[in-house]
Amino acid sequence: MTDAKSVENIESLLKLSETLEAVGGVLLNGDFPSENFCFTSVQTDSRLVVEKSLFVPLIGENQDGHLYVPQALEKGASAVFVSKKTSKNLLEDLKKQAENNKNVAFILVENTMRALQKAAECYVRKFPRLIRCAVTGSSGKTTTKEIASSILRQKFSVIATKGNFNSETGLPLSVFNIRSEHELGLFEMGMNRVNEIGEIAEVFKPNYAIITNIGTAHIGILGSRQNIANEKKKIFNYIDSFGSAFIPKTDDFASFLEKGVKGKVVKYGIDCDESVKLVVDEGLAGTVFSVDGLLMRLSLPGKYNFLNALGAIALAKELGCTAEQIKAGIESLKPLGGRSTIRKGRFTVLEDCYNANPDSMEKALDLCADTKIEGKKIYVLGDMLELGEKSEEEHSRIGEKAVFADADMIIFFGFEMNSAFESAIKIAEKKSSLVDEKISSVRILYIGNKDEAAISDTAREILDFAENGDLILLKGSRGMGLERILPLIGMDGSL
């Protein structure tokens, strides 16, 4: 918990008048003294509230955060947003708590989610000199953000999204961490519904923005890649004539994305910038390349991660970073926790368990297929979630691709992967050519559950088949928890 004495000396992130105007709110305790108003952090989870937090209770499909206002108050919340849309009983109870309360500001708003966003937007305006940068894309956005952050920190005081705190709530909460000493803000923007990018772009108003790609993540919600492109493009809404939009040149939506951009359009990719040259792709060891003749190595494996790095480098160069600063940032990059992480031990494990969609799954399979090793290749592929009505089709396609990805064993893991398993089996059963003879020897398994017993069964199958020096790919959506396999095969914690 934040030290009470130190908090007393910290100025409120927003004044009461600023907050009320920004959120269109009114005080439930109308006689609350404005000089008592002070919040130094913002939380939507009552468990994370500390002294002088603004608590924003959200109303979800299954739960109403207003139920946790008492816990937030016990932990020292100094201000609370209250939605007109909460239940009548809860609203009446909160009004009673607000009566004669001189220590906590209860602010009535139409919608607490929207109020959080509008308050965050107001807060960002307090930093007019901040260089505002953002990243979005169907895949690779967190990696691109981390690479860009590592480089930009060589030149600027940077505040960046922690992890992938990039949603309709995550982005507003993140920007409340901006302080006067920060010169540049770098924030990730994700989406899983229509206009989510539009709303959070309105909060931060980035003047520099990277789109990594237009893929099929969340296609079950958005319906088509065109709809996804329409949404992702909203990250460029606030770029003015002094800003820049960074677009992957080879993406088939590149021309669409650049239309209407008011600032400079920078296309990035291999051979887009003469000063950046690919030297050698070292597979799992990463990529060696040069910037202005200066050699450096990106430790993250795969062509797709090199492309992510090129987007980050394009942004860095536009903001005046030197080759030396780029090298320092690239080579000080730390492992990204479950994203393209290489673990070395008895086996070599490519751990990519944080997220999965058809695009990132294909890229991981391509990387493993191109990797030359003396041992065998074992792929554990978990469900790709949030594909909606496209799920069966996309999983089936991944099953076909996996069989042609130079595998010796493939374990399809999870209910959705049943379609992939069936497609893989059909192909492997064909023996009409020399190519099919190789494919027909692949050991193909299906484990339909994702509980601890299923994880144990998967680990047992790996250990029964694998030998020292083999390559193991763990790839699936976060909800599948494939990283649980690591300690069971003796690979936990080794990098």
Side-chain angles (χ1 to χ4, degrees), residues 405-439:
D406 196 33
D408 294 283
M409 181 167 82
I410 308 169
I411 301 176
F412 294 102
F413 184 90
F415 177 77
E416 301 286 347
M417 274 291 171
N418 184 53
S419 300
F421 170 72
E422 291 180 350
S423 294
I425 286 293
K426 287 178 183 177
I427 293 173
E429 287 175 347
K430 297 178 182 179
K431 301 179 181 180
S432 58
S433 70
L434 291 175
V435 173
D436 287 334
E437 285 181 18
K438 160 64 178 171
I439 292 172

Side-chain angles (χ1 to χ4, degrees), residues 256-290:
F256 170 77
L257 294 174
E258 70 176 304
K259 289 180 181 176
V261 173
K262 294 179 182 178
K264 181 179 179 181
V265 172
V266 178
K267 298 282 185 67
Y268 69 90
I270 296 174
D271 298 329
C272 282
D273 182 345
E274 291 184 357
S275 69
V276 181
K277 297 186 183 300
L278 171 65
V279 177
V280 60
D281 181 349
E282 295 187 331
L284 296 179
T287 304
V288 177
F289 63 101
S290 66

Side-chain angles (χ1 to χ4, degrees), residues 329-345:
I330 288 289
E331 297 193 342
S332 63
L333 190 66
K334 298 177 182 177
L336 303 182
R339 291 179 174 87
S340 301
T341 300
I342 301 297
R343 296 185 179 274
K344 294 280 191 178

Side-chain angles (χ1 to χ4, degrees), residues 166-200:
N166 59 21
S167 66
E168 59 190 355
T169 57
L171 185 281
L173 291 173
S174 293
V175 303
F176 275 112
N177 291 316
I178 299 170
R179 297 293 182 266
S180 58
E181 66 267 21
H182 294 131
E183 300 170 298
L184 183 148
L186 175 61
F187 293 95
E188 182 180 331
M189 297 186 180
M191 69 171 191
N192 59 16
R193 63 172 175 82
V194 171
N195 202 41
E196 188 167 0
I197 293 289
E199 289 179 10
I200 58 182

Side-chain angles (χ1 to χ4, degrees), residues 23-24 26 28 57-61 63-67 81-92 94-95 107-115 117 199:
V23 305
V26 295
L28 284 176
L58 303 177
I59 301 175
E61 292 183 7
Q63 201 166 44
D64 186 343
H66 292 79
L67 290 167
F81 286 166
V82 178
S83 173
K84 295 178 182 179
K85 297 180 180 179
T86 191
S87 71
K88 184 177 180 180
N89 289 340
L90 275 174
L91 185 56
E92 289 302 317
L94 290 170
K95 285 180 178 179
I107 300 175
L108 184 66
V109 299
E110 192 68 34
N111 179 296
T112 49
M113 171 73 76
R114 191 62 179 153
Q117 294 173 347
E199 289 179 10

Side-chain angles (χ1 to χ4, degrees), residues 196-423:
E196 188 167 0
I197 293 289
E199 289 179 10
I200 58 182
E202 183 183 14
V203 170
F204 186 56
K205 295 180 174 60
N207 207 29
Y208 297 86
I210 302 172
I211 292 180
T212 60
N213 51 55
I214 302 300
T216 53
H218 307 302
I219 198 167
I221 299 169
L222 278 298
S224 69
R225 289 182 68 225
Q226 180 62 59
N227 289 342
I228 292 170
N230 293 340
E231 295 302 317
K232 294 293 186 184
K233 187 177 179 178
K234 292 177 182 178
I235 200 171
F236 297 153
N237 282 355
Y238 299 93
I239 292 176
D240 58 24
S241 58
F242 297 99
S244 302
F246 299 84
I247 298 169
K249 183 177 180 180
T250 58
D251 194 284
D252 51 349
F253 281 89
S255 296
F256 170 77
L257 294 174
E258 70 176 304
K259 289 180 181 176
V261 173
K262 294 179 182 178
K264 181 179 179 181
V265 172
V266 178
K267 298 282 185 67
Y268 69 90
I270 296 174
D271 298 329
C272 282
D273 182 345
E274 291 184 357
S275 69
V276 181
K277 297 186 183 300
L278 171 65
V279 177
V280 60
D281 181 349
E282 295 187 331
L284 296 179
T287 304
V288 177
F289 63 101
S290 66
V291 177
D292 293 329
L294 185 64
L295 284 175
M296 59 196 75
R297 173 188 276 111
L298 175 70
S299 60
L300 300 176
K303 297 175 183 176
Y304 53 99
N305 279 321
F306 181 50
L307 182 60
N308 292 334
L310 291 177
I313 290 168
L315 170 64
K317 293 190 71 176
E318 194 69 19
L319 293 173
C321 289
T322 64
E324 289 76 15
Q325 289 168 332
I326 292 170
K327 177 182 173 69
I330 288 289
E331 297 193 342
S332 63
L333 190 66
K334 298 177 182 177
L336 303 182
R339 291 179 174 87
S340 301
T341 300
I342 301 297
R343 296 185 179 274
K344 294 280 191 178
R346 177 186 173 189
F347 314 116
T348 296
V349 177
L350 172 53
E351 179 196 355
D352 204 345
C353 309
Y354 201 90
N355 195 12
N357 55 59
D359 308 296
S360 63
M361 189 72 79
E362 285 189 30
K363 290 168 182 174
L365 289 170
D366 285 340
L367 171 59
C368 291
D370 293 340
T371 298
K372 305 302 180 185
I373 62 168
E374 293 183 3
K376 300 189 293 293
K377 298 179 182 180
I378 300 165
Y379 306 156
V380 182
L381 308 181
D383 287 352
M384 302 176 289
L385 303 177
E386 297 184 349
L387 295 182
E389 63 182 19
K390 297 279 188 179
S391 181
E392 183 175 347
E393 174 188 341
E394 293 294 343
H395 280 87
S396 179
R397 188 168 62 82
I398 289 299
E400 294 179 8
K401 183 174 182 65
V403 175
F404 289 98
D406 196 33
D408 294 283
M409 181 167 82
I410 308 169
I411 301 176
F412 294 102
F413 184 90
F415 177 77
E416 301 286 347
M417 274 291 171
N418 184 53
S419 300
F421 170 72
E422 291 180 350
S423 294

